[in-house]
Amino acid sequence: MASATESKGKHPDGMIRNILLLSCGWCFGVAAPFVQISTSAVVAQELVGTEYATVPLGVIMVVSAFSAGTVPMLSERYGTQRVYLSGALLGLFGATLCFSAVQWLEGSTAFALFVAGSFPQGITYACINGFRFTAVQLSTTDFAPKAISLV
């Protein structure tokens, strides 16, 4: 049965704003791994050679896969906003580690820190992938298909 707001074509307060915020967050969140994908192999090759060029990206994908099931459980327990904010801060922390490795260290030490910075970025990527599901949860039944398209 449709609620009163759905039948009149109105949206709950803040729904559109929240979905647009998720959309912007998704755009920035997905752009970051693409930057990481395009640069991590080059960085690894320069630091330790071609044998380990895909390790940082592999770490991001493996951590993201394991985190994909954990993020919804944590969201249920602690709240989606807290989990997504923590995921964003972890991504920032990981990016800072990667930047520090490239900027101030050399060789295998730099590579180790660069790989360590990839771990929290995998958690961030898992959070970003949940944004579409969150958009559906925040929207009315009638607006859900549009919410998915926006995010």
Side-chain angles (χ1 to χ4, degrees):
M1 180 174 200
S3 68
T5 56
E6 289 181 45
S7 62
K8 293 180 183 177
K10 294 183 181 178
H11 304 296
D13 291 337
M15 181 188 79
I16 300 294
R17 180 183 70 81
N18 289 334
I19 290 172
L20 290 175
L21 285 172
L22 283 169
S23 179
C24 290
W26 187 86
C27 289
F28 286 115
V30 169
F34 281 111
V35 171
Q36 185 79 354
I37 289 167
S38 63
T39 59
S40 66
V42 174
V43 169
Q45 184 177 356
E46 287 187 22
L47 292 176
V48 292
T50 58
E51 303 86 28
Y52 302 104
T54 59
V55 170
L57 181 59
V59 166
I60 290 174
M61 293 302 133
V62 168
V63 172
S64 178
F66 282 113
S67 300
T70 309
V71 168
M73 290 188 306
L74 291 173
S75 293
E76 223 174 271
R77 183 171 184 171
Y78 298 108
T80 304
Q81 186 176 9
R82 284 183 180 167
V83 172
Y84 286 169
L85 181 59
S86 298
L89 292 174
L90 283 169
L92 182 61
F93 175 69
T96 302
L97 289 178
C98 290
F99 174 79
S100 299
V102 173
Q103 191 67 27
W104 294 299
L105 299 174
E106 295 178 7
S108 60
T109 306
F111 181 71
L113 187 60
F114 192 80
V115 171
S118 299
F119 277 91
Q121 290 180 343
I123 298 168
T124 302
Y125 194 58
C127 289
I128 300 294
N129 285 326
F131 280 16
R132 288 186 176 185
F133 299 112
T134 303
V136 170
Q137 291 173 349
L138 293 174
S139 67
T140 60
T141 306
D142 294 340
F143 196 75
K146 291 178 185 172
I148 293 171
S149 296
L150 288 170
V151 177

